[in-house]
Amino acid sequence: MAYDLEFEKPLAELEKKISTLQRKGDRLKAEELVQLQEAERDLRHKTEEIYKNLTTWQTVSVARHKDRPYAADYIRLMCNDFFELHGDRSFGDDHAIMAGPATIDGQTVMLVCHQKGRDMKEKQFRNLGMPHPEGYRKAHRLMKQAEKFNMPIVTLIDASGASPGLVDEERGQAEAIAATLYLMPRLKVPIISTIIGEGGSGGALAIGVADRVLMFEHSIYMVAAPEAAASIMWRDSAHASHAATAMRISARELLPLGLIDEILPEPLGGAHRNYNQMAITLKDALKRQLAEIGKLSVEELLEQRYQKFRNMGKYGTLTEQNLATAQA
Amino acid sequence: MAKEAAVPLTRQTSSSNEEKPGLPSVGNIAVKCPKCKEILYSRDWEKNLKVCSRCNHHFRLTAYERIELLADPGSFHELDADIISVDPLQFTTFPPAHADQRNYGEKLAAERKKTGMNEAVVIGHSTVESKPLAMAVMDFHFMGGSMGSAVGEKITRAIELGIERNIPVLIASTSGGARMQEGLFSLMQMAKTSAALAKLGEKKLPYISLLTDPTTGGVSASFAMLGDITLAEPGALVCFTGPRVIEQFMHIKLPEGTVNSEFGLQHGMIDAVVHRRDLRSTLGRILRLYA
Ligand SMILES: [Zn+2]
């Protein structure tokens, strides 16, 4: 897989050197073999170094990489069985939300996932991964069903946002999202949400009110896509990279703010370089978290979930501020 | 629960409209209707509850004006007025030197000075036609009514007040959506307020949502659209995605007023569109019916 991102240029050069040498095969001279080994070592070290120090905006480009695995890839690699269920029983079936029961090492869970499209045709089919209201209503229906059959809920979040079209307004996008936010805090089964790529705005949070919120190392979670935020604040989407930085949307920045629970490490160079390894990491984390939350009684589970979100937010009082000013 | 203080309702109702940010003014004696361009005499306009006598355009109200409109005279007691926003991300604006762009902390201070308010929502309890009610009333003039941690906390406390006192809750929304400067903290207020409403629902206490111009974004996609009864003022912009973004996404031009209260009523998202002059009596009826 080529190194095709802007900041990967030094890696691409090393890769080119490596493949030139490799093409020589048997005709490789002794000193060229040494060069090859050095270049390979260099590539690994450089990749480690670059990926350890990604800026927020660079992280955005990894999270949106065209080859990044999507929910369906993890489902295929991680689940023994997945039976996709369709439709909201009211209007239609949305293709940006993929959901249904699945087994992970023998345990049945209800999967509710965003699904982006890979090629042009699938992108269109899945509305660029932006759910319509009927997608959230399908999610609502199946999360309630999970509670009925006592299945834990696993959600994989990967959407830049909810679909912003006129048909979405006609069918009540705001209400559809609000309804899942109202439902999830009281569901009597464990819920684990993982941001695998992009988690954007209410369209992501709508399947993210969980007991545990995990993030892939190079994924992003944000109140609005950087382009949208820049457009709102500065009337210019060209300032997106500054918006991304200022809003602190990377996993590394969100963990210390207490907004997520765990970061799942990605394979060297990003999840798209090793689908299998990423799927194993995800599966192990889900199993571990489910076992942990599974120990709680329903009352404890609901109380902890409520308090988790009840306590999110940082605010002050005027009195405190006056005191601080006086002391300064 | 926090300390209580009766707030004099005259606080924000001085007759000069110079002090009311966001209102198109023609000197002190008249205002121009932004919709039909009619020049309205201030005194008539205020007597008409800031509704255009020609085209029925409902001008935006401050939170205190709306409380005066809805609550029985003198019955409102404000709570948690001293809650303010902090700058949890040490947000830096862009471009740094731009004249009207400030860092978030400075912007907050400027907004407090401009509006005389501490945040974009006022909460407390009152009676409406003698029925007790917990209420949260948003104000668009403070940073576009955007929802950050402080707004989310106050809305949540208003809902908790309903639970504590076993009384219905009213939230009057007006908001451009999330407060970008608080990043993901802002998004999480949608989960927090909705979770509190779910608790209120379990106690079987009615929640009335009143949508006023504009109610959009994260506010519409959380508490504003969760009412047991959802009312809206006529002509209010009510949507998840604003018209400008819809137009960009679809490469079309939307006619003025495509996504508004009437659109929401037509598409089954709103229970009733109510003229401003009828709001208090409508609330009274609802409170008696659901008592
Ligand atoms: Zn008019």
Side-chain angles (χ1 to χ4, degrees):
Chain A
M1 203 170 281
Y3 289 95
D4 51 4
L5 297 173
E6 184 61 30
F7 62 86
E8 287 179 326
K9 267 188 186 144
L11 306 179
E13 276 161 32
L14 278 167
E15 198 186 38
K16 201 173 151 198
K17 186 171 169 190
I18 290 168
S19 59
T20 311
L21 289 167
Q22 277 172 339
R23 237 173 293 147
K24 294 196 173 179
D26 294 343
R27 291 173 290 123
L28 212 59
K29 293 176 198 140
E31 74 257 32
E32 285 176 329
L33 187 65
V34 175
Q35 277 176 15
L36 176 63
Q37 285 163 345
E38 262 175 16
E40 282 171 341
R41 203 171 45 234
D42 271 8
L43 179 63
R44 204 169 47 245
H45 288 165
K46 263 244 149 63
T47 311
E48 272 169 19
E49 194 191 305
I50 287 178
Y51 270 82
K52 218 182 285 168
N53 300 301
L54 289 185
T55 66
T56 308
W57 187 239
Q58 288 166 344
T59 305
V60 172
S61 61
V62 180
R64 290 174 174 172
H65 195 281
K66 63 177 173 47
D67 299 319
R68 194 166 174 86
Y70 297 147
D73 300 305
Y74 296 117
I75 294 172
R76 180 170 46 80
L77 293 166
M78 186 175 78
C79 302
N80 312 97
D81 196 10
F82 168 59
F83 191 79
E84 188 178 357
L85 302 175
H86 293 277
D88 71 343
R89 300 295 185 271
S90 168
F91 178 82
D93 186 37
D94 181 63
H95 305 123
I97 297 260
M98 182 180 268
T103 50
I104 298 176
D105 280 352
Q107 182 175 19
T108 306
V109 300
M110 182 62 80
L111 283 176
V112 178
C113 313
H114 291 118
Q115 176 63 30
K116 290 181 174 178
R118 190 73 63 190
D119 57 27
M120 277 314 292
K121 210 175 144 196
E122 200 199 352
K123 278 193 206 313
Q124 201 175 15
F125 177 68
R126 301 202 183 275
N127 195 34
L128 303 170
M130 298 183 295
H132 294 298
E134 54 271 25
Y136 295 113
R137 294 192 178 114
K138 172 166 67 179
H140 191 282
R141 172 172 83 88
L142 296 177
M143 287 194 287
K144 277 209 79 138
Q145 190 184 102
E147 182 182 50
K148 180 175 174 181
F149 297 113
N150 203 26
M151 294 175 191
I153 297 167
V154 170
T155 79
L156 300 182
I157 294 175
D158 193 13
S160 59
S163 183
L166 187 59
V167 296
D168 303 299
E169 295 301 325
E170 287 172 348
R171 304 204 282 267
Q173 188 67 286
E175 192 276 341
I177 292 170
T180 67
L181 299 181
Y182 188 88
L183 175 73
M184 292 185 83
R186 313 306 297 154
L187 283 174
K188 297 186 180 76
V189 288
I191 309 173
I192 300 178
S193 293
T194 307
I195 293 99
I196 60 172
E198 283 185 277
S201 90
L205 180 66
I207 58 166
V209 186
D211 300 300
R212 295 285 189 276
V213 180
L214 321 180
M215 271 182 88
F216 282 6
E217 187 182 357
H218 305 308
S219 68
I220 51 176
Y221 197 11
M222 57 221 168
V223 64
E227 293 77 8
S231 166
I232 291 166
M233 288 186 289
W234 308 306
R235 292 189 185 79
D236 190 351
S237 57
H239 299 322
S241 72
H242 186 86
T245 310
M247 293 194 299
R248 305 186 189 231
I249 64 177
S250 71
R252 181 165 35 91
E253 293 164 301
L254 293 171
L255 187 70
L257 294 171
L259 292 165
I260 58 163
D261 299 299
E262 188 183 346
I263 298 175
L264 303 184
E266 294 196 14
L268 186 59
H272 58 285
R273 301 205 162 265
N274 194 335
Y275 281 33
N276 247 319
Q277 191 188 326
M278 194 69 243
I280 290 166
T281 304
L282 174 61
K283 185 178 174 178
D284 288 349
L286 290 175
K287 281 167 63 183
R288 173 168 43 79
Q289 291 285 9
L290 281 173
E292 217 170 274
I293 313 169
K295 289 182 202 144
L296 301 173
S297 70
V298 171
E299 292 70 33
E300 288 168 327
L301 183 75
L302 291 183
E303 183 57 19
Q304 286 185 16
R305 192 186 305 150
Y306 184 80
Q307 291 305 335
K308 177 185 175 74
F309 288 92
R310 173 66 188 86
N311 295 323
M312 276 190 189
K314 289 216 165 91
Y315 56 91
T317 61
L318 262 186
T319 341
E320 277 167 17
Q321 204 206 29
N322 289 343
L323 282 174
T325 322
Q327 280 160 1
Chain B
M1 203 77 235
K3 42 199 181 309
E4 264 180 49
V7 169
L9 286 171
T10 47
R11 191 160 134 181
Q12 297 260 326
T13 50
S14 87
S15 62
S16 153
N17 63 46
E18 272 177 351
E19 293 170 23
K20 296 181 186 87
L23 291 183
S25 73
V26 183
N28 285 337
I29 53 159
V31 295
K32 188 174 173 185
C33 175
K35 201 175 159 200
C36 73
K37 315 291 179 207
E38 180 86 344
I39 305 290
L40 306 162
Y41 285 104
S42 293
R43 203 188 300 169
D44 298 342
W45 172 66
E46 292 200 0
K47 228 165 81 189
N48 204 30
L49 307 171
K50 302 198 172 173
V51 175
C52 173
S53 51
R54 183 165 169 231
C55 76
N56 205 34
H57 172 69
H58 282 49
F59 287 69
R60 287 171 189 157
L61 299 181
T62 67
Y64 290 108
E65 285 170 340
R66 185 163 298 282
I67 289 163
E68 193 169 70
L69 176 84
L70 299 177
D72 294 338
S75 72
F76 181 70
H77 288 258
E78 183 168 358
L79 295 171
D80 298 316
D82 65 337
I83 289 183
I84 53 167
S85 293
V86 293
D87 183 5
L89 304 179
Q90 281 98 52
F91 188 90
T92 53
T93 190
F94 188 86
H98 197 289
D100 74 331
Q101 293 296 342
R102 299 181 178 86
N103 287 334
Y104 183 40
E106 296 162 356
K107 188 160 176 81
L108 285 168
E111 291 285 311
R112 285 199 292 269
K113 203 169 159 208
K114 183 187 90 181
T115 59
M117 301 182 62
N118 291 336
E119 248 305 333
V121 65
V122 174
I123 67 166
H125 59 84
S126 69
T127 60
V128 173
E129 299 202 333
S130 305
K131 292 279 186 187
L133 188 67
M135 57 204 288
V137 178
M138 300 187 77
D139 196 317
F140 191 76
H141 304 101
F142 192 103
M143 277 190 89
S146 55
M147 175 160 66
S149 301
V151 168
E153 178 67 22
K154 288 180 82 173
I155 300 258
T156 304
R157 288 193 190 190
I159 298 163
E160 288 171 343
L161 182 69
I163 297 171
E164 219 170 89
R165 297 192 171 201
N166 211 36
I167 55 175
V169 175
L170 167 79
I171 303 177
S173 297
T174 170
S175 173
R179 190 167 293 175
M180 298 295 139
Q181 291 86 347
E182 292 192 25
L184 203 62
F185 282 110
S186 171
L187 188 70
M188 292 305 148
Q189 305 311 307
M190 294 171 67
K192 173 168 161 173
T193 52
S194 303
L197 282 173
K199 267 206 166 165
L200 183 81
E202 284 190 334
K203 304 277 181 210
K204 311 225 178 290
L205 291 164
Y207 162 46
I208 305 161
S209 173
L210 171 61
L211 315 179
T212 71
D213 184 61
T215 299
T216 70
V219 165
S220 74
S222 58
F223 56 83
M225 277 312 210
L226 289 172
D228 294 303
I229 303 101
T230 303
L231 310 175
E233 282 197 334
L237 177 71
V238 175
C239 54
F240 176 61
T241 306
R244 207 162 49 96
V245 178
I246 297 176
E247 287 178 342
Q248 279 171 12
F249 177 68
M250 300 180 65
H251 308 288
I252 53 161
K253 187 96 189 87
L254 291 179
E256 179 74 22
T258 303
V259 282
N260 60 12
S261 311
E262 291 74 16
F263 175 94
L265 183 69
Q266 189 199 336
H267 288 92
M269 300 300 150
I270 289 171
D271 291 297
V273 176
V274 183
H275 192 284
R276 189 169 284 169
R277 78 171 102 76
D278 300 324
L279 273 177
R280 189 190 296 180
S281 61
T282 303
L283 283 179
R285 276 175 68 196
I286 291 167
L287 292 173
R288 285 189 294 276
L289 283 166
Y290 284 81

